[in-house]
Amino acid sequence: MVDSTVVAAASYPTVPLTPMTVPAHEAEARSKAFHDVMAQRRTVRDYDTRPIPEGVIEWAVRTASTAPSGAHVQPWRFVVITDPGRKRLLREAAEAEEREFYGHRASEEWLTALAPIGTDWHKPFLEDAPAVIVVFEVHKGPGSPRPYYTKESVGIAVGLLLSSLHQAGLATLTHTPSPMRFLNEVCERPSEERAAYVIPVGYPAEGARVPDLRRKDLDEVMVRL
């Protein structure tokens, strides 16, 4: 009897795997080195006006697009905004939603949780940062197939995007205004695309400060069984 799984797999083209080979004795050191770089990553709200070096964002988006995705549909769109007028429109629209959030929508518990970070409805970073990347989930539409595990897929891609930008010496912030439908108009995207993240990108302003926060220890986030 022929295994139907083998037959199904054989009907799709494959290529030889070219694995990244790391000597066992170097594995932990490489892992620690990557951690030490990423441990310096912080969410930044104050940006310098210095331009971003040519090609950096493009390579970061290419890196993000190496992320695994449900059924390999790759359900993401990265809209890079650098035009000052467009960034101003984005800021105005986002601040209108944020005023509603902080003034009416957010619960007291939520506002209390945000208090140590010092955020409010003012979002100058959307205009000050030299670039803003708006990440959209791409759902089923005239030119796009139905995606699977969309939020999970896009979330992994954004993690790679942030890591790549940090490796290049750039600062970022993950802004998630709610609701986000206004971003389709600002970014001129079709209805089947749904905004998920707004990410300012640039160099930190001179003298920029960040909240004094502590990351959880390993034994608080990892369990061995």
Side-chain angles (χ1 to χ4, degrees):
M1 182 176 179
V2 178
D3 186 342
S4 60
T5 304
V6 173
V7 173
S11 66
Y12 292 93
T14 62
V15 295
L17 172 66
T18 306
M20 178 177 176
T21 303
V22 176
H25 67 278
E26 294 181 14
E28 183 179 357
R30 288 203 190 190
S31 184
K32 181 182 181 302
F34 183 71
H35 162 270
D36 291 346
V37 171
M38 295 309 301
Q40 299 176 52
R41 189 207 61 78
R42 292 298 306 267
T43 292
V44 171
R45 291 178 168 80
D46 301 303
Y47 289 87
D48 195 281
T49 57
R50 277 184 293 164
I52 296 170
E54 190 70 29
V56 172
I57 288 181
E58 287 81 358
W59 281 113
V61 171
R62 286 188 179 97
T63 298
S65 295
T66 68
S69 61
H72 195 56
V73 173
Q74 304 166 79
W76 43 64
R77 188 86 66 228
F78 301 89
V79 178
V80 181
I81 303 176
T82 57
D83 176 69
R86 185 86 62 169
K87 287 192 295 178
R88 189 173 306 112
L89 285 175
L90 171 59
R91 177 184 176 180
E92 290 171 353
E95 287 186 336
E97 295 294 349
E98 293 294 281
R99 277 193 294 270
E100 284 296 310
F101 171 80
Y102 282 92
H104 305 289
R105 296 197 198 107
S107 65
E108 284 301 318
E109 182 179 21
W110 197 341
L111 293 175
T112 299
L114 289 171
I117 303 175
T119 60
D120 58 24
W121 66 266
H122 297 88
K123 307 299 175 188
F125 47 77
L126 295 176
E127 198 170 356
D128 296 342
V132 178
I133 304 174
V134 183
V135 186
F136 287 82
E137 301 171 358
V138 181
H139 292 263
K140 183 174 175 57
S144 55
R146 176 183 175 181
Y148 302 92
Y149 300 105
T150 313
K151 291 189 181 300
E152 295 87 345
S153 301
V154 173
I156 296 169
V158 167
L160 290 175
L161 179 74
L162 298 178
S163 299
S164 180
L165 292 168
H166 178 69
Q167 290 278 334
L170 295 170
T172 57
L173 177 147
T174 46
H175 178 46
T176 52
S178 180
M180 293 195 187
R181 270 299 175 190
F182 71 90
L183 289 163
N184 287 71
E185 181 177 351
V186 172
C187 298
E188 300 181 17
R189 302 311 304 164
S191 59
E192 65 268 20
E193 297 188 11
R194 302 175 192 171
Y197 302 87
V198 179
I199 305 174
V201 183
Y203 292 102
E206 186 175 353
R209 299 180 66 84
V210 294
D212 184 12
L213 303 176
R214 182 189 73 83
R215 293 185 171 100
K216 292 181 178 180
D217 293 330
L218 180 64
D219 60 4
E220 296 179 87
V221 299
M222 182 176 119
V223 176
R224 284 188 180 274
L225 299 176

